[in-house]
Amino acid sequence: MKLKRFLKQETVLSVAAVLAVLSMFFVPPDADYLGYIDLRTLAILFSLMTIMAGLRRQGVFDRMGRALLARTGSTLQLVLVLVGLCFFGSMVITNDVSLLTFVPFTFVVLSGLAPDTRRALTIPVVCMQTIAANLGSMLTPIGNPQNLYLYGKSGMSMAEFLLLMFPYTVVSLLLLVGWAVAVCRKQASASIGIFPEQQNITADRKIILLDTVLFAVCLLAVVRVLPYGVAFAAVLVCTLCADRSTLRNVDYSLLLTFVAFFVFIGNLGRIPAFSGWLQAILAGREVLVAVLASQVTSNVPAALLLSGFTDETAALIIGTNLGGLGTLIASMASLISYRQIARELPEEKGRYLKLFTLSNLIFLVILLAEWMIIGR
C-alpha cells in the first residue's frame, strides 16, 4: 500500500529510477558514472529550494500578495493581481513555489466574493494562474529547474538568457491581460468585499533577513560570480544553525529525479545506435522535438534527456519552456493547481481540465507562431 502511494505521488522519480537501472544493463557502472552528475545544478537547485521553503514558512509571499490585493477596487483588478502574482512571482521564486503559495491563497480570497462571482471566476482564475506561473518562470534561469540546468550547460550570460526569452514573456503577458479582461467583462466594475484575515503566522525577521542574504548569494552563484560550492555551503550551514526544520520542506524527490536522469542520459550517450538516432531526429528540429517530448515526459525530463544529444541549448531552452504548455503533465508544476481543484472543488475537475487543456493549447499555438516568426 505504501509502495503504491509512493509510486502515485512520485511517478516521475519512479520512472527516472527505473530507466536509470535499466540503462545500467547496457552500460555497467564504472568510473565514468561520476562524470554524469551535474553537481552545479544540484547544489544551486537545493540552495534555492531551501531558501524559498524558508521564506514561504515565514509567510513572506502571503503578506506580499495581501499587500497588493489591499489596493484593488474591482473584480478585474483582483484577477489581474492574482494572476500577476503567479506570473511575476515565478520569475524569482520558481513556478512550483508560486503555485503552492498563491493558489491556496486564491481560494481564500475568492471565498469572500459573492457566490455567483466566485463560481464564475474560481476555475478560470486558477487555470490562468497555472499558465501564468509556467510562462513567467521561463524568463529567468531560476524560474524553473530545467532553466537552471540548461543555463548552466549553455554558458550564456544572464543578459543573453533574458534576451532569449524576453519576446515570449512579453507576448505571454499581453495574452494574460487580454484573457483577464475577457473573463471579467461582466464583473469588471463590480466591487469586492473585505478579504478574510491573514492566518496568524509569526514571522522571524532574522530568518527572513538571513534567507534574503542567502538568496543574493545564490544569485551570485547562478551568474558565476561565486563558486556554487560557496553558496551551497552557506545555505546548508546557515539553515542547519538557524532554521533546521525548513530542510524538511525541500523537494528532495526532484533532486533524486535529476540524479536518476543524469545516469540514464549518460548511459544513453554511450550507446552509439541510440545516440546517433536521437541526434538525427533533433538536428534542426530542437524546439519542436522539445515541445513534443515535454507533452509526455514533462519539460524537466525532456530538457535533461535532449540536452545530452545536441549543442543547440538555446533552442532547448525555448522548446522546453514553451513545452510546459499543453498537457497537464507538460509542466509538473501544473499538477499543484489540479490537486488544489480536486481537493477544494472535486465536482469541477472535469471543467477545469477542459479549460486548462484548451487554454494551454491556444497559448502554445500563439507562442509557437511567434517562434516561427522571430526565432527561426
Side-chain angles (χ1 to χ4, degrees):
M1 195 66 179
K2 290 183 179 179
L3 177 60
K4 184 178 180 180
R5 188 183 308 116
F6 176 83
L7 292 175
K8 185 176 180 180
Q9 293 177 344
E10 302 295 348
T11 304
V12 177
L13 171 58
S14 301
V15 171
V18 169
L19 291 174
V21 171
L22 289 175
S23 70
M24 292 178 183
F25 289 99
F26 297 91
V27 183
D30 56 23
D32 290 342
Y33 271 49
L34 296 176
Y36 295 166
I37 311 300
D38 188 338
L39 293 178
R40 182 180 188 275
T41 297
L42 294 176
I44 296 177
L45 186 58
F46 167 82
S47 301
L48 289 170
M49 288 193 297
T50 302
I51 293 167
M52 292 307 144
L55 291 172
R56 187 167 178 261
R57 286 183 69 240
Q58 298 300 322
V60 170
F61 309 129
D62 186 73
R63 280 190 289 275
M64 290 171 56
R66 289 181 181 275
L68 287 171
L69 287 175
R71 301 176 181 275
T72 62
S74 69
T75 305
L76 175 58
Q77 292 174 353
L78 171 65
V79 170
L80 287 172
V81 169
L82 290 173
V83 175
L85 283 170
C86 290
F87 183 77
F88 293 105
S90 65
M91 297 176 184
V92 180
I93 66 175
T94 73
N95 54 352
D96 55 344
V97 173
S98 180
L99 292 173
L100 282 168
T101 302
F102 296 123
V103 170
F105 175 60
T106 295
F107 280 105
V108 174
V109 170
L110 296 184
S111 67
L113 300 180
D116 289 345
T117 303
R118 181 172 67 249
R119 281 193 296 270
L121 292 181
T122 300
I123 295 299
V125 168
V126 174
C127 175
M128 207 51 57
Q129 281 184 308
T130 308
I131 294 174
N134 288 327
L135 291 174
S137 66
M138 68 183 177
L139 178 64
T140 66
I142 61 173
N144 52 56
Q146 83 268 5
N147 276 3
L148 182 62
Y149 168 68
L150 292 173
Y151 171 73
K153 186 177 179 64
S154 70
M156 64 176 60
S157 67
M158 177 69 79
E160 289 173 328
F161 190 100
L162 295 176
L163 287 173
L164 177 67
M165 297 310 302
F166 182 74
Y168 304 99
T169 306
V170 170
V171 171
S172 298
L173 180 59
L174 294 175
L175 290 172
L176 288 168
V177 171
W179 168 89
V181 172
V183 167
C184 296
R185 63 186 181 276
K186 293 182 180 179
Q187 295 99 5
S189 60
S191 60
I192 53 180
I194 300 174
F195 299 122
E197 293 185 6
Q198 182 177 359
Q199 293 180 340
N200 186 21
I201 300 177
T202 302
D204 188 328
R205 293 185 179 181
K206 292 182 180 179
I207 296 297
I208 294 174
L209 178 60
L210 176 63
D211 282 336
T212 302
V213 172
L214 290 174
F215 180 64
V217 171
C218 283
L219 288 183
L220 292 176
V222 169
V223 298
R224 305 180 184 89
V225 173
L226 286 178
Y228 69 84
V230 172
F232 172 78
V235 170
L236 182 60
V237 171
C238 290
T239 304
L240 282 171
C241 294
D243 193 21
R244 184 173 302 180
S245 57
T246 289
L247 292 172
R248 300 194 199 108
N249 298 323
V250 175
D251 187 359
Y252 295 103
S253 66
L254 178 61
L255 297 174
L256 291 174
T257 299
F258 266 78
V259 172
F261 269 111
F262 284 145
V263 172
F264 175 60
I265 294 161
N267 284 337
L268 288 183
R270 295 169 65 182
I271 302 175
F274 182 87
S275 177
W277 173 76
L278 191 53
Q279 286 175 348
I281 290 178
L282 277 170
R285 296 181 286 268
E286 291 83 4
V287 171
L288 293 177
V289 172
V291 169
L292 292 174
S294 297
Q295 304 308 303
V296 294
T297 66
S298 89
N299 51 6
V300 173
L304 294 173
L305 173 63
L306 299 179
S307 65
F309 303 95
T310 178
D311 293 326
E312 297 296 328
T313 310
L316 288 185
I317 292 172
I318 296 172
T320 54
N321 275 300
L322 300 188
L325 300 167
T327 64
L328 187 62
I329 65 168
S331 170
M332 297 306 291
S334 300
L335 292 174
I336 295 171
S337 301
Y338 178 72
R339 287 169 183 159
Q340 288 288 329
I341 290 291
R343 186 169 63 214
E344 299 287 340
L345 300 168
E347 71 282 359
E348 297 279 13
K349 287 190 299 183
R351 179 186 167 209
Y352 176 83
L353 280 174
K354 290 178 182 177
L355 181 60
F356 176 87
T357 303
L358 177 61
S359 301
N360 268 271
L361 290 176
I362 291 173
F363 274 68
L364 178 57
V365 168
I366 293 173
L367 291 175
L368 279 176
E370 180 186 5
W371 165 71
M372 294 181 70
I373 294 171
I374 69 171
R376 302 192 72 169

